[in-house]
Amino acid sequence: GTSMPWNDTAQLNYLNPQVREAVIQTILEVARKFPIIRFDAAMTLAKRHFQRLWFPEPGSGGAIPSRSDYGMTKEQFEAAMPQEFWREVVDRIAQEAPDTLLLAEAFWLMEGYFVRTLGMHRVYNSAFMNMMRNEDNANYRLVMKNTLEFDPEILKRFVNFMNNPDERTAVDQFGKGDKYFGICILMATLPGLPMFGHGQIEGFTEKYGMEFRRAQWEETSDAYLVERHEREIFPLLHRRALFAGVENFLLYDFYTPEGGVNEDVFAYSNALGSEHALVVYHNRFASTSGWIRISAGSLVKGEDGNRSVVQRSLGEGLHIQPGDQRFVTYRDHTNGLEYILPSTELAEKGMYLELNAYQYHVFLDFTEIDDDPYQSYRHLCQSLNGRGVPSIQEALRELMLQPVQSPFRQIANPGYFNYLLEHRANRSPQPDLTALLDEAERKMQALTTGMRALNDFPGSPEQLHAEIRRQLQAVLSLGDKAALWPGSSGRQSRAAADYIHAPLDS
């Protein structure tokens, strides 16, 4: 760059073809020993920057004034370096060491050029770190859209990161709250390669430098931060195959109720075989709501070689086959809750979400279900009305048992029994318990009616009602309230305990 040269690094003149060949031979020698090579500060050897820094065009002044004495015209420079050095490196590696992965550090907005034109296998994506930190969301979404329209494969070559030894630490730039984890979710689920910096997971605050022999500060890991990584981030890294590719990647616009697009919301889906995922993150300290419906344009290459930019709906992105009797269930990785939506609603309207500041969702395990003849899933979907539950199947069982559970809970609970005892205690020494027993029997009738609706009820409900009434009358006819609790001394308390449990067992 324009700072003082490193005093341990030779400054080589790449206009000399012998120098270029010597460096390429060194790279090939390393490639025969290691499967991955990282090129530090690779952007400084791109032709446009090499000329700007070392052989500026006359009259331009140059980035380094002292180099103006060595200025060259564009024609002279092109004659001395007719081909991009890195393009030659990539081509030679492909011929002589084809199993080598080449990774370039390229700042100065050179990321796209290094993968599109120079063919580098992976390139550091500093734009991700800087724009996410600064919440320059509209411009980063524009970068993604332009890349998808030009060639989605480029996204797969980006190395996304939140810090490295040359930058401020992740905790310094992003903190330890929801913003950090929301951006970390993006890093873990976007196509390409996620890279975690030194001390990032542990929450270290000291800037790590290559010149350090050891850490200068005595720091310990932040146990809460590590645990949250283990709970929210690491499981997604184990499913990187679902997120790393671009063949099924779609980026969506988030439409607000007013009809505009909220550029602060990142929403995208991906798929691998029968697995599908939808990731949503709101990178702003604000609240918003809206719909995910249509994707941004993405380049599609046809079998005949034709290229076209197409948009797809969320239903197409998740491969939903809509039907009047079909429903879609899915799970939110961030809170563990499961959701259910009609497949036609998801396919035609998309998904409605309300997002708080820096809130994120990772929806996984999409499953399509055909409703049964009793329309159980339709009733469940209407009952939940978009609300998440720990288990859809458990919620369905509870819904089916509701005719029994509701009346059962009205009877089998301490509150109702206390109610009976309190009313019994407020009466005369020889109370008439008919009204209380009639009320209890009506509740039992509601319970047995619900049981009959679900299944064939064994035995005679009338006999059960009579037996419950008889035992309950015996319990309420005993002594004062204190003697009715199990554990109290005396014959009455033991008898009361037996009577309390017998009806429930029956």
Side-chain angles (χ1 to χ4, degrees):
T2 56
S3 60
M4 290 296 291
W6 296 335
N7 59 13
D8 62 351
T9 304
Q11 306 297 316
L12 305 180
N13 183 4
Y14 282 79
L15 295 189
N16 186 333
Q18 291 178 307
V19 169
R20 294 199 297 268
E21 180 61 26
V23 174
I24 290 175
Q25 289 299 326
T26 302
I27 293 172
L28 288 170
E29 181 182 352
V30 174
R32 296 184 185 101
K33 300 177 181 179
F34 300 97
I36 301 175
I37 301 178
R38 173 192 178 275
F39 298 117
D40 190 66
M43 67 285 182
T44 59
L45 295 187
K47 287 170 64 174
R48 58 190 266 195
H49 290 300
F50 193 73
Q51 180 171 22
R52 177 179 68 87
L53 295 169
W54 293 99
F55 305 97
E57 290 187 75
S60 67
I64 303 173
S66 63
R67 294 298 303 176
S68 60
D69 292 342
Y70 303 91
M72 298 176 66
T73 65
K74 198 71 173 175
E75 291 74 17
Q76 290 173 324
F77 184 85
E78 289 291 337
M81 185 185 278
Q83 186 180 13
E84 285 278 13
F85 173 72
W86 291 121
R87 181 73 258 181
E88 189 173 357
V89 169
V90 170
D91 293 342
R92 292 281 292 277
I93 287 287
Q95 294 175 0
E96 302 181 42
D99 293 330
T100 309
L101 177 72
L102 304 181
L103 168 62
E105 181 191 36
F107 298 149
W108 303 343
L109 301 179
M110 294 284 288
E111 295 90 348
Y113 183 73
F114 262 76
V115 294
R116 284 198 307 264
T117 305
L118 303 185
M120 198 65 67
H121 303 147
R122 296 290 187 275
V123 62
Y124 278 17
N125 184 18
S126 61
F128 176 85
M129 176 191 68
N130 291 310
M131 291 185 174
M132 291 295 99
R133 180 195 62 220
N134 300 336
E135 299 181 11
D136 191 3
N137 303 314
N139 282 330
Y140 193 74
R141 291 187 74 249
L142 183 61
V143 169
M144 294 180 69
K145 287 182 176 182
N146 291 340
T147 304
L148 288 170
E149 290 183 5
F150 181 84
D151 187 356
E153 287 290 325
I154 293 174
L155 283 183
K156 194 167 64 175
R157 298 188 178 188
F158 286 152
V159 178
N160 298 317
F161 59 91
M162 298 171 68
N163 83 299
N164 64 46
D166 295 326
E167 306 291 344
R168 292 153 51 201
T169 62
V171 67
D172 183 18
Q173 296 189 75
F174 300 97
K176 297 183 179 181
D178 288 343
K179 176 171 180 173
Y180 167 84
F181 280 96
I183 295 172
C184 201
I185 288 281
L186 295 189
M187 189 176 75
T189 58
L190 278 171
L193 184 67
M195 184 176 73
F196 290 83
H198 170 80
Q200 175 176 339
I201 294 168
E202 298 90 339
F204 291 165
T205 56
E206 181 184 15
K207 184 178 182 297
Y208 177 79
M210 291 179 292
E211 69 276 13
F212 291 178
R213 291 183 178 271
R214 59 178 177 80
Q216 305 297 300
W217 299 354
E218 293 293 337
E219 295 189 87
T220 57
S221 298
D222 185 322
Y224 168 76
L225 199 65
V226 173
E227 185 277 331
R228 196 166 171 185
H229 277 91
E230 292 174 344
R231 174 165 38 91
E232 298 185 31
I233 305 301
F234 294 172
L236 297 176
L237 298 177
H238 283 287
R239 302 181 71 164
R240 273 298 297 168
L242 172 58
F243 303 108
V246 295
E247 185 176 335
N248 297 301
F249 178 82
L250 293 175
L251 176 70
Y252 300 93
D253 288 325
F254 189 80
Y255 287 93
T256 64
E258 295 76 24
V261 174
N262 189 335
E263 297 285 356
D264 297 324
V265 178
F266 292 84
Y268 50 89
S269 65
N270 215 332
L272 179 67
S274 60
E275 290 187 87
H276 297 82
L278 174 65
V279 180
V280 185
Y281 170 57
H282 181 212
N283 192 33
R284 184 72 68 186
F285 187 71
S287 297
T288 187
S289 62
W291 291 85
I292 302 171
R293 293 194 190 99
I294 301 295
S295 76
S298 184
L299 181 72
V300 174
K301 302 174 185 177
E303 296 181 358
D304 55 0
N306 291 330
R307 300 157 64 94
S308 60
V309 176
V310 299
Q311 292 178 279
R312 292 188 172 91
S313 68
L314 177 62
E316 291 176 300
L318 299 175
H319 297 167
I320 301 300
Q321 301 296 324
D324 292 339
Q325 301 301 318
R326 303 197 85 188
F327 293 84
V328 178
T329 64
Y330 52 95
R331 178 179 61 86
D332 187 353
H333 164 75
T334 59
N335 58 23
L337 298 181
E338 296 182 356
Y339 299 81
I340 182 170
L341 284 176
S343 62
T344 52
E345 177 181 321
L346 197 59
E348 296 173 3
K349 297 182 180 179
M351 182 182 292
Y352 176 80
L353 290 170
E354 296 179 352
L355 301 170
N356 295 321
Y358 307 119
Q359 187 173 359
Y360 47 88
H361 297 282
V362 182
F363 298 119
L364 302 168
D365 304 333
F366 285 84
T367 305
E368 293 184 85
I369 298 174
D370 291 315
D371 209 350
D372 58 30
Y374 306 102
Q375 295 192 324
S376 303
Y377 286 96
R378 183 174 302 279
H379 294 318
L380 177 62
C381 187
Q382 293 171 349
S383 173
L384 294 178
N385 193 28
R387 180 170 52 89
V389 292
S391 169
I392 287 293
Q393 292 304 316
E394 186 63 30
L396 182 63
R397 282 193 290 270
E398 289 186 5
L399 182 67
M400 295 175 65
L401 292 173
Q402 200 170 42
V404 172
Q405 286 183 331
S406 294
F408 178 77
R409 287 172 180 154
Q410 292 183 28
I411 300 171
N413 69 84
Y416 180 61
F417 198 73
N418 284 334
Y419 159 80
L420 293 176
L421 294 176
E422 289 170 1
H423 280 69
R424 176 240 174 268
N426 292 333
R427 295 175 180 272
S428 59
Q430 299 295 329
D432 180 8
L433 302 177
T434 302
L436 292 177
L437 296 174
D438 287 346
E439 179 184 354
E441 187 169 351
R442 284 194 297 271
K443 291 181 179 292
M444 279 301 305
Q445 288 174 345
L447 174 60
T448 54
T449 299
M451 295 170 68
R452 290 175 109 175
L454 284 180
N455 208 337
D456 294 334
F457 186 83
S460 169
E462 290 75 17
Q463 291 179 353
L464 178 60
H465 299 162
E467 177 63 17
I468 293 292
R469 183 182 183 108
R470 183 185 69 77
Q471 295 195 29
L472 185 59
Q473 181 175 11
V475 171
L476 296 180
S477 299
L478 295 173
D480 59 34
K481 181 178 179 181
L484 290 172
W485 294 110
S488 299
S489 60
R491 183 180 302 171
Q492 285 184 328
S493 64
R494 289 193 298 273
D498 293 337
Y499 282 128
I500 288 171
H501 290 100
L504 299 183
D505 293 340
S506 301

